[in-house]
Amino acid sequence: MRRTRPELFWLAFAQGAAIPVQAVIGGVSVWTNLNPFVVGLHFVVSAALTSVTAALVYRAMNGPRTAVRLVPAWYTNVVRGTVAAVVVTVLVGILTTGSGPHAGADEAVDGGRLHRTGFDPAVMEHVHAVPAYVLFALTLVLVVGAVRLRLSSRWALALLVVEFVQIAVGLTQARTGLPVGLVGTHMVLAGLLVAATTAVVLSTRGSAGRGAVREPLDA
């Protein structure tokens, strides 16, 4: 399929290439006693890998992208703003987790002092909330806009649901002393957030259908 569906080949190749990168970063994180910034980089690569994987699944299910734009220019701009808000929210979220009690090493290793970012967790929680609420507002615009324009709102609605659950979990963990189970759930939801955002972006352009292929390169 490398000739007839090259986008699938390169998306799959990118996934494979990310594995040794993750292995190196994982080794460095252990070598540095789970430095929260290195662990955070590990999560950044994981988020990028999640996006690539979501794109692979989307393209496998919907076929190659076409040149047809399914949404007006203003909607595309809101989608771009949503992507920017997701990036900022995830990055600040990584710093917030790295500032808290689950940043990596426990208190038994150097009192945990060398394994925190140095930022105040309470302050970082408030900073993290700002782009998160901006993201929620932009996603509401996407859902309402899709309904009014009579476009498919499936992926925008899925993104909104993930954000709603994510906000609920985030507020709960902040008010209950950051239990490790909720922190882990929050991180899993961050992955779903990235995947749903990827689907929203891809859905703004037309797709040729699952059975569509390109002509072989040597045809």
Side-chain angles (χ1 to χ4, degrees), residues 130-163:
V130 174
Y133 286 127
V134 170
L135 171 60
F136 190 74
L138 289 172
T139 307
L140 280 174
V141 173
L142 292 179
V143 172
V144 173
V147 172
R148 298 199 62 173
L149 294 171
R150 297 184 178 180
L151 303 172
S152 174
S153 60
R154 176 176 58 174
W155 293 117
L157 187 59
L159 178 61
L160 185 67
V161 170
V162 171
E163 291 169 6

PDB file of all heavy atoms in Angstrom, residues 130-163:
ATOM      1  N   VAL A 130      -6.490  28.339  32.887  1.00  0.00           N
ATOM      2  CA  VAL A 130      -6.796  29.414  31.928  1.00  0.00           C
ATOM      3  C   VAL A 130      -6.888  28.894  30.495  1.00  0.00           C
ATOM      4  O   VAL A 130      -7.930  29.058  29.841  1.00  0.00           O
ATOM      5  CB  VAL A 130      -5.759  30.552  32.040  1.00  0.00           C
ATOM      6  CG1 VAL A 130      -5.991  31.583  30.941  1.00  0.00           C
ATOM      7  CG2 VAL A 130      -5.836  31.201  33.418  1.00  0.00           C
ATOM      8  N   PRO A 131      -5.851  28.253  29.940  1.00  0.00           N
ATOM      9  CA  PRO A 131      -5.985  27.743  28.573  1.00  0.00           C
ATOM     10  C   PRO A 131      -7.024  26.630  28.465  1.00  0.00           C
ATOM     11  O   PRO A 131      -7.630  26.456  27.397  1.00  0.00           O
ATOM     12  CB  PRO A 131      -4.578  27.234  28.238  1.00  0.00           C
ATOM     13  CG  PRO A 131      -3.947  26.961  29.554  1.00  0.00           C
ATOM     14  CD  PRO A 131      -4.501  27.997  30.479  1.00  0.00           C
ATOM     15  N   ALA A 132      -7.249  25.897  29.565  1.00  0.00           N
ATOM     16  CA  ALA A 132      -8.245  24.829  29.534  1.00  0.00           C
ATOM     17  C   ALA A 132      -9.651  25.396  29.321  1.00  0.00           C
ATOM     18  O   ALA A 132     -10.436  24.860  28.522  1.00  0.00           O
ATOM     19  CB  ALA A 132      -8.192  24.027  30.836  1.00  0.00           C
ATOM     20  N   TYR A 133      -9.967  26.482  29.996  1.00  0.00           N
ATOM     21  CA  TYR A 133     -11.292  27.090  29.831  1.00  0.00           C
ATOM     22  C   TYR A 133     -11.411  27.795  28.484  1.00  0.00           C
ATOM     23  O   TYR A 133     -12.490  27.836  27.887  1.00  0.00           O
ATOM     24  CB  TYR A 133     -11.568  28.056  30.975  1.00  0.00           C
ATOM     25  CG  TYR A 133     -11.886  27.358  32.279  1.00  0.00           C
ATOM     26  CD1 TYR A 133     -11.190  27.654  33.455  1.00  0.00           C
ATOM     27  CD2 TYR A 133     -12.884  26.383  32.343  1.00  0.00           C
ATOM     28  CE1 TYR A 133     -11.475  27.010  34.647  1.00  0.00           C
ATOM     29  CE2 TYR A 133     -13.170  25.726  33.532  1.00  0.00           C
ATOM     30  CZ  TYR A 133     -12.465  26.038  34.676  1.00  0.00           C
ATOM     31  OH  TYR A 133     -12.747  25.402  35.849  1.00  0.00           O
ATOM     32  N   VAL A 134     -10.311  28.361  27.990  1.00  0.00           N
ATOM     33  CA  VAL A 134     -10.319  28.944  26.640  1.00  0.00           C
ATOM     34  C   VAL A 134     -10.605  27.850  25.615  1.00  0.00           C
ATOM     35  O   VAL A 134     -11.401  28.037  24.680  1.00  0.00           O
ATOM     36  CB  VAL A 134      -8.976  29.629  26.335  1.00  0.00           C
ATOM     37  CG1 VAL A 134      -8.888  30.018  24.862  1.00  0.00           C
ATOM     38  CG2 VAL A 134      -8.788  30.859  27.217  1.00  0.00           C
ATOM     39  N   LEU A 135      -9.970  26.712  25.791  1.00  0.00           N
ATOM     40  CA  LEU A 135     -10.195  25.572  24.910  1.00  0.00           C
ATOM     41  C   LEU A 135     -11.655  25.130  24.950  1.00  0.00           C
ATOM     42  O   LEU A 135     -12.262  24.858  23.903  1.00  0.00           O
ATOM     43  CB  LEU A 135      -9.278  24.415  25.328  1.00  0.00           C
ATOM     44  CG  LEU A 135      -9.516  23.066  24.649  1.00  0.00           C
ATOM     45  CD1 LEU A 135      -9.343  23.181  23.143  1.00  0.00           C
ATOM     46  CD2 LEU A 135      -8.575  22.019  25.235  1.00  0.00           C
ATOM     47  N   PHE A 136     -12.218  25.069  26.132  1.00  0.00           N
ATOM     48  CA  PHE A 136     -13.619  24.658  26.284  1.00  0.00           C
ATOM     49  C   PHE A 136     -14.539  25.630  25.543  1.00  0.00           C
ATOM     50  O   PHE A 136     -15.482  25.216  24.851  1.00  0.00           O
ATOM     51  CB  PHE A 136     -13.982  24.597  27.765  1.00  0.00           C
ATOM     52  CG  PHE A 136     -15.316  23.963  28.043  1.00  0.00           C
ATOM     53  CD1 PHE A 136     -15.490  22.595  27.930  1.00  0.00           C
ATOM     54  CD2 PHE A 136     -16.404  24.736  28.416  1.00  0.00           C
ATOM     55  CE1 PHE A 136     -16.721  22.005  28.180  1.00  0.00           C
ATOM     56  CE2 PHE A 136     -17.639  24.163  28.667  1.00  0.00           C
ATOM     57  CZ  PHE A 136     -17.798  22.782  28.547  1.00  0.00           C
ATOM     58  N   ALA A 137     -14.259  26.933  25.666  1.00  0.00           N
ATOM     59  CA  ALA A 137     -15.081  27.939  24.992  1.00  0.00           C
ATOM     60  C   ALA A 137     -14.972  27.820  23.477  1.00  0.00           C
ATOM     61  O   ALA A 137     -15.979  27.895  22.756  1.00  0.00           O
ATOM     62  CB  ALA A 137     -14.667  29.339  25.450  1.00  0.00           C
ATOM     63  N   LEU A 138     -13.764  27.628  22.970  1.00  0.00           N
ATOM     64  CA  LEU A 138     -13.574  27.480  21.529  1.00  0.00           C
ATOM     65  C   LEU A 138     -14.280  26.228  21.000  1.00  0.00           C
ATOM     66  O   LEU A 138     -14.851  26.243  19.904  1.00  0.00           O
ATOM     67  CB  LEU A 138     -12.079  27.407  21.200  1.00  0.00           C
ATOM     68  CG  LEU A 138     -11.289  28.703  21.366  1.00  0.00           C
ATOM     69  CD1 LEU A 138      -9.796  28.450  21.207  1.00  0.00           C
ATOM     70  CD2 LEU A 138     -11.760  29.752  20.360  1.00  0.00           C
ATOM     71  N   THR A 139     -14.249  25.176  21.774  1.00  0.00           N
ATOM     72  CA  THR A 139     -14.918  23.941  21.352  1.00  0.00           C
ATOM     73  C   THR A 139     -16.425  24.125  21.324  1.00  0.00           C
ATOM     74  O   THR A 139     -17.110  23.583  20.435  1.00  0.00           O
ATOM     75  CB  THR A 139     -14.541  22.773  22.283  1.00  0.00           C
ATOM     76  OG1 THR A 139     -13.115  22.674  22.364  1.00  0.00           O
ATOM     77  CG2 THR A 139     -15.093  21.453  21.758  1.00  0.00           C
ATOM     78  N   LEU A 140     -16.961  24.887  22.253  1.00  0.00           N
ATOM     79  CA  LEU A 140     -18.392  25.209  22.213  1.00  0.00           C
ATOM     80  C   LEU A 140     -18.735  25.945  20.920  1.00  0.00           C
ATOM     81  O   LEU A 140     -19.769  25.670  20.294  1.00  0.00           O
ATOM     82  CB  LEU A 140     -18.772  26.066  23.425  1.00  0.00           C
ATOM     83  CG  LEU A 140     -19.001  25.342  24.751  1.00  0.00           C
ATOM     84  CD1 LEU A 140     -19.225  26.361  25.867  1.00  0.00           C
ATOM     85  CD2 LEU A 140     -20.197  24.399  24.660  1.00  0.00           C
ATOM     86  N   VAL A 141     -17.863  26.860  20.506  1.00  0.00           N
ATOM     87  CA  VAL A 141     -18.072  27.582  19.246  1.00  0.00           C
ATOM     88  C   VAL A 141     -18.081  26.597  18.077  1.00  0.00           C
ATOM     89  O   VAL A 141     -18.908  26.702  17.164  1.00  0.00           O
ATOM     90  CB  VAL A 141     -16.983  28.652  19.042  1.00  0.00           C
ATOM     91  CG1 VAL A 141     -17.113  29.278  17.657  1.00  0.00           C
ATOM     92  CG2 VAL A 141     -17.080  29.717  20.119  1.00  0.00           C
ATOM     93  N   LEU A 142     -17.180  25.621  18.103  1.00  0.00           N
ATOM     94  CA  LEU A 142     -17.123  24.624  17.033  1.00  0.00           C
ATOM     95  C   LEU A 142     -18.403  23.803  16.965  1.00  0.00           C
ATOM     96  O   LEU A 142     -18.939  23.540  15.878  1.00  0.00           O
ATOM     97  CB  LEU A 142     -15.922  23.699  17.240  1.00  0.00           C
ATOM     98  CG  LEU A 142     -14.525  24.308  17.061  1.00  0.00           C
ATOM     99  CD1 LEU A 142     -13.455  23.266  17.330  1.00  0.00           C
ATOM    100  CD2 LEU A 142     -14.371  24.883  15.664  1.00  0.00           C
ATOM    101  N   VAL A 143     -18.894  23.374  18.118  1.00  0.00           N
ATOM    102  CA  VAL A 143     -20.107  22.549  18.144  1.00  0.00           C
ATOM    103  C   VAL A 143     -21.311  23.347  17.663  1.00  0.00           C
ATOM    104  O   VAL A 143     -22.071  22.899  16.798  1.00  0.00           O
ATOM    105  CB  VAL A 143     -20.354  21.993  19.565  1.00  0.00           C
ATOM    106  CG1 VAL A 143     -21.712  21.296  19.638  1.00  0.00           C
ATOM    107  CG2 VAL A 143     -19.246  21.030  19.961  1.00  0.00           C
ATOM    108  N   VAL A 144     -21.493  24.550  18.214  1.00  0.00           N
ATOM    109  CA  VAL A 144     -22.631  25.383  17.827  1.00  0.00           C
ATOM    110  C   VAL A 144     -22.516  25.771  16.352  1.00  0.00           C
ATOM    111  O   VAL A 144     -23.509  25.745  15.601  1.00  0.00           O
ATOM    112  CB  VAL A 144     -22.699  26.648  18.706  1.00  0.00           C
ATOM    113  CG1 VAL A 144     -23.784  27.593  18.200  1.00  0.00           C
ATOM    114  CG2 VAL A 144     -22.971  26.267  20.158  1.00  0.00           C
ATOM    115  N   GLY A 145     -21.302  26.113  15.916  1.00  0.00           N
ATOM    116  CA  GLY A 145     -21.102  26.467  14.523  1.00  0.00           C
ATOM    117  C   GLY A 145     -21.421  25.325  13.585  1.00  0.00           C
ATOM    118  O   GLY A 145     -22.048  25.524  12.533  1.00  0.00           O
ATOM    119  N   ALA A 146     -21.012  24.119  13.945  1.00  0.00           N
ATOM    120  CA  ALA A 146     -21.295  22.949  13.113  1.00  0.00           C
ATOM    121  C   ALA A 146     -22.794  22.702  13.001  1.00  0.00           C
ATOM    122  O   ALA A 146     -23.315  22.379  11.926  1.00  0.00           O
ATOM    123  CB  ALA A 146     -20.589  21.721  13.672  1.00  0.00           C
ATOM    124  N   VAL A 147     -23.498  22.863  14.115  1.00  0.00           N
ATOM    125  CA  VAL A 147     -24.954  22.652  14.098  1.00  0.00           C
ATOM    126  C   VAL A 147     -25.639  23.698  13.226  1.00  0.00           C
ATOM    127  O   VAL A 147     -26.502  23.376  12.400  1.00  0.00           O
ATOM    128  CB  VAL A 147     -25.512  22.686  15.538  1.00  0.00           C
ATOM    129  CG1 VAL A 147     -27.036  22.676  15.518  1.00  0.00           C
ATOM    130  CG2 VAL A 147     -24.985  21.504  16.340  1.00  0.00           C
ATOM    131  N   ARG A 148     -25.245  24.953  13.377  1.00  0.00           N
ATOM    132  CA  ARG A 148     -25.884  26.025  12.606  1.00  0.00           C
ATOM    133  C   ARG A 148     -25.550  25.953  11.121  1.00  0.00           C
ATOM    134  O   ARG A 148     -26.359  26.319  10.272  1.00  0.00           O
ATOM    135  CB  ARG A 148     -25.478  27.385  13.170  1.00  0.00           C
ATOM    136  CG  ARG A 148     -25.926  27.598  14.619  1.00  0.00           C
ATOM    137  CD  ARG A 148     -25.939  29.053  14.988  1.00  0.00           C
ATOM    138  NE  ARG A 148     -26.895  29.803  14.175  1.00  0.00           N
ATOM    139  CZ  ARG A 148     -27.207  31.085  14.368  1.00  0.00           C
ATOM    140  NH1 ARG A 148     -26.622  31.744  15.370  1.00  0.00           N
ATOM    141  NH2 ARG A 148     -28.048  31.701  13.602  1.00  0.00           N
ATOM    142  N   LEU A 149     -24.350  25.474  10.809  1.00  0.00           N
ATOM    143  CA  LEU A 149     -23.960  25.325   9.415  1.00  0.00           C
ATOM    144  C   LEU A 149     -24.408  23.995   8.821  1.00  0.00           C
ATOM    145  O   LEU A 149     -24.146  23.715   7.656  1.00  0.00           O
ATOM    146  CB  LEU A 149     -22.434  25.444   9.289  1.00  0.00           C
ATOM    147  CG  LEU A 149     -21.824  26.809   9.612  1.00  0.00           C
ATOM    148  CD1 LEU A 149     -20.307  26.718   9.658  1.00  0.00           C
ATOM    149  CD2 LEU A 149     -22.266  27.843   8.577  1.00  0.00           C
ATOM    150  N   ARG A 150     -25.038  23.171   9.661  1.00  0.00           N
ATOM    151  CA  ARG A 150     -25.497  21.841   9.254  1.00  0.00           C
ATOM    152  C   ARG A 150     -24.339  20.960   8.785  1.00  0.00           C
ATOM    153  O   ARG A 150     -24.437  20.236   7.803  1.00  0.00           O
ATOM    154  CB  ARG A 150     -26.575  21.949   8.167  1.00  0.00           C
ATOM    155  CG  ARG A 150     -27.836  22.661   8.646  1.00  0.00           C
ATOM    156  CD  ARG A 150     -28.907  22.677   7.586  1.00  0.00           C
ATOM    157  NE  ARG A 150     -30.125  23.327   8.092  1.00  0.00           N
ATOM    158  CZ  ARG A 150     -31.239  23.494   7.373  1.00  0.00           C
ATOM    159  NH1 ARG A 150     -31.280  23.056   6.113  1.00  0.00           N
ATOM    160  NH2 ARG A 150     -32.292  24.080   7.904  1.00  0.00           N
ATOM    161  N   LEU A 151     -23.246  21.059   9.530  1.00  0.00           N
ATOM    162  CA  LEU A 151     -22.089  20.217   9.288  1.00  0.00           C
ATOM    163  C   LEU A 151     -22.087  19.077  10.291  1.00  0.00           C
ATOM    164  O   LEU A 151     -22.812  19.101  11.290  1.00  0.00           O
ATOM    165  CB  LEU A 151     -20.795  21.026   9.450  1.00  0.00           C
ATOM    166  CG  LEU A 151     -20.649  22.268   8.568  1.00  0.00           C
ATOM    167  CD1 LEU A 151     -19.421  23.052   9.001  1.00  0.00           C
ATOM    168  CD2 LEU A 151     -20.557  21.880   7.110  1.00  0.00           C
ATOM    169  N   SER A 152     -21.274  18.078  10.041  1.00  0.00           N
ATOM    170  CA  SER A 152     -21.133  16.993  11.004  1.00  0.00           C
ATOM    171  C   SER A 152     -20.465  17.532  12.273  1.00  0.00           C
ATOM    172  O   SER A 152     -19.384  18.125  12.219  1.00  0.00           O
ATOM    173  CB  SER A 152     -20.291  15.858  10.413  1.00  0.00           C
ATOM    174  OG  SER A 152     -20.035  14.869  11.398  1.00  0.00           O
ATOM    175  N   SER A 153     -21.106  17.349  13.400  1.00  0.00           N
ATOM    176  CA  SER A 153     -20.559  17.838  14.672  1.00  0.00           C
ATOM    177  C   SER A 153     -20.024  16.700  15.535  1.00  0.00           C
ATOM    178  O   SER A 153     -19.725  16.895  16.701  1.00  0.00           O
ATOM    179  CB  SER A 153     -21.648  18.587  15.449  1.00  0.00           C
ATOM    180  OG  SER A 153     -22.753  17.730  15.723  1.00  0.00           O
ATOM    181  N   ARG A 154     -19.879  15.503  14.930  1.00  0.00           N
ATOM    182  CA  ARG A 154     -19.504  14.325  15.712  1.00  0.00           C
ATOM    183  C   ARG A 154     -18.190  14.507  16.450  1.00  0.00           C
ATOM    184  O   ARG A 154     -18.108  14.287  17.663  1.00  0.00           O
ATOM    185  CB  ARG A 154     -19.419  13.107  14.784  1.00  0.00           C
ATOM    186  CG  ARG A 154     -18.948  11.838  15.485  1.00  0.00           C
ATOM    187  CD  ARG A 154     -18.976  10.650  14.541  1.00  0.00           C
ATOM    188  NE  ARG A 154     -18.141  10.878  13.366  1.00  0.00           N
ATOM    189  CZ  ARG A 154     -17.904   9.951  12.449  1.00  0.00           C
ATOM    190  NH1 ARG A 154     -18.477   8.765  12.541  1.00  0.00           N
ATOM    191  NH2 ARG A 154     -17.134  10.218  11.416  1.00  0.00           N
ATOM    192  N   TRP A 155     -17.148  14.938  15.720  1.00  0.00           N
ATOM    193  CA  TRP A 155     -15.839  15.020  16.358  1.00  0.00           C
ATOM    194  C   TRP A 155     -15.731  16.223  17.282  1.00  0.00           C
ATOM    195  O   TRP A 155     -15.084  16.138  18.338  1.00  0.00           O
ATOM    196  CB  TRP A 155     -14.749  15.049  15.297  1.00  0.00           C
ATOM    197  CG  TRP A 155     -14.650  13.751  14.551  1.00  0.00           C
ATOM    198  CD1 TRP A 155     -14.876  13.536  13.221  1.00  0.00           C
ATOM    199  CD2 TRP A 155     -14.339  12.476  15.111  1.00  0.00           C
ATOM    200  NE1 TRP A 155     -14.723  12.213  12.925  1.00  0.00           N
ATOM    201  CE2 TRP A 155     -14.393  11.532  14.059  1.00  0.00           C
ATOM    202  CE3 TRP A 155     -14.024  12.029  16.391  1.00  0.00           C
ATOM    203  CZ2 TRP A 155     -14.137  10.176  14.248  1.00  0.00           C
ATOM    204  CZ3 TRP A 155     -13.770  10.681  16.588  1.00  0.00           C
ATOM    205  CH2 TRP A 155     -13.822   9.776  15.537  1.00  0.00           C
ATOM    206  N   ALA A 156     -16.343  17.334  16.921  1.00  0.00           N
ATOM    207  CA  ALA A 156     -16.335  18.491  17.815  1.00  0.00           C
ATOM    208  C   ALA A 156     -17.076  18.171  19.108  1.00  0.00           C
ATOM    209  O   ALA A 156     -16.656  18.569  20.203  1.00  0.00           O
ATOM    210  CB  ALA A 156     -16.966  19.697  17.124  1.00  0.00           C
ATOM    211  N   LEU A 157     -18.177  17.431  18.988  1.00  0.00           N
ATOM    212  CA  LEU A 157     -18.932  17.036  20.177  1.00  0.00           C
ATOM    213  C   LEU A 157     -18.130  16.052  21.023  1.00  0.00           C
ATOM    214  O   LEU A 157     -18.146  16.125  22.264  1.00  0.00           O
ATOM    215  CB  LEU A 157     -20.269  16.424  19.756  1.00  0.00           C
ATOM    216  CG  LEU A 157     -21.261  16.107  20.871  1.00  0.00           C
ATOM    217  CD1 LEU A 157     -21.611  17.369  21.644  1.00  0.00           C
ATOM    218  CD2 LEU A 157     -22.535  15.479  20.293  1.00  0.00           C
ATOM    219  N   ALA A 158     -17.422  15.128  20.364  1.00  0.00           N
ATOM    220  CA  ALA A 158     -16.577  14.188  21.103  1.00  0.00           C
ATOM    221  C   ALA A 158     -15.492  14.936  21.874  1.00  0.00           C
ATOM    222  O   ALA A 158     -15.206  14.616  23.036  1.00  0.00           O
ATOM    223  CB  ALA A 158     -15.944  13.185  20.142  1.00  0.00           C
ATOM    224  N   LEU A 159     -14.916  15.945  21.226  1.00  0.00           N
ATOM    225  CA  LEU A 159     -13.897  16.758  21.897  1.00  0.00           C
ATOM    226  C   LEU A 159     -14.487  17.475  23.097  1.00  0.00           C
ATOM    227  O   LEU A 159     -13.868  17.542  24.172  1.00  0.00           O
ATOM    228  CB  LEU A 159     -13.314  17.761  20.903  1.00  0.00           C
ATOM    229  CG  LEU A 159     -12.263  18.736  21.440  1.00  0.00           C
ATOM    230  CD1 LEU A 159     -11.048  17.993  21.973  1.00  0.00           C
ATOM    231  CD2 LEU A 159     -11.847  19.725  20.347  1.00  0.00           C
ATOM    232  N   LEU A 160     -15.698  17.997  22.950  1.00  0.00           N
ATOM    233  CA  LEU A 160     -16.355  18.710  24.048  1.00  0.00           C
ATOM    234  C   LEU A 160     -16.611  17.782  25.231  1.00  0.00           C
ATOM    235  O   LEU A 160     -16.401  18.166  26.388  1.00  0.00           O
ATOM    236  CB  LEU A 160     -17.671  19.314  23.553  1.00  0.00           C
ATOM    237  CG  LEU A 160     -18.424  20.195  24.554  1.00  0.00           C
ATOM    238  CD1 LEU A 160     -17.628  21.467  24.841  1.00  0.00           C
ATOM    239  CD2 LEU A 160     -19.812  20.554  24.018  1.00  0.00           C
ATOM    240  N   VAL A 161     -17.031  16.558  24.957  1.00  0.00           N
ATOM    241  CA  VAL A 161     -17.292  15.589  26.024  1.00  0.00           C
ATOM    242  C   VAL A 161     -15.999  15.262  26.771  1.00  0.00           C
ATOM    243  O   VAL A 161     -15.974  15.208  28.015  1.00  0.00           O
ATOM    244  CB  VAL A 161     -17.933  14.311  25.448  1.00  0.00           C
ATOM    245  CG1 VAL A 161     -17.980  13.210  26.510  1.00  0.00           C
ATOM    246  CG2 VAL A 161     -19.326  14.600  24.919  1.00  0.00           C
ATOM    247  N   VAL A 162     -14.908  15.043  26.018  1.00  0.00           N
ATOM    248  CA  VAL A 162     -13.622  14.755  26.657  1.00  0.00           C
ATOM    249  C   VAL A 162     -13.207  15.915  27.553  1.00  0.00           C
ATOM    250  O   VAL A 162     -12.748  15.714  28.685  1.00  0.00           O
ATOM    251  CB  VAL A 162     -12.540  14.486  25.592  1.00  0.00           C
ATOM    252  CG1 VAL A 162     -11.156  14.397  26.244  1.00  0.00           C
ATOM    253  CG2 VAL A 162     -12.837  13.199  24.840  1.00  0.00           C
ATOM    254  N   GLU A 163     -13.378  17.142  27.074  1.00  0.00           N
ATOM    255  CA  GLU A 163     -13.004  18.314  27.859  1.00  0.00           C
ATOM    256  C   GLU A 163     -13.859  18.435  29.112  1.00  0.00           C
ATOM    257  O   GLU A 163     -13.346  18.787  30.193  1.00  0.00           O
ATOM    258  CB  GLU A 163     -13.153  19.572  27.015  1.00  0.00           C
ATOM    259  CG  GLU A 163     -12.150  19.672  25.889  1.00  0.00           C
ATOM    260  CD  GLU A 163     -12.480  20.785  24.912  1.00  0.00           C
ATOM    261  OE1 GLU A 163     -13.421  21.554  25.178  1.00  0.00           O
ATOM    262  OE2 GLU A 163     -11.800  20.882  23.885  1.00  0.00           O
TER     263      GLU A 163
END
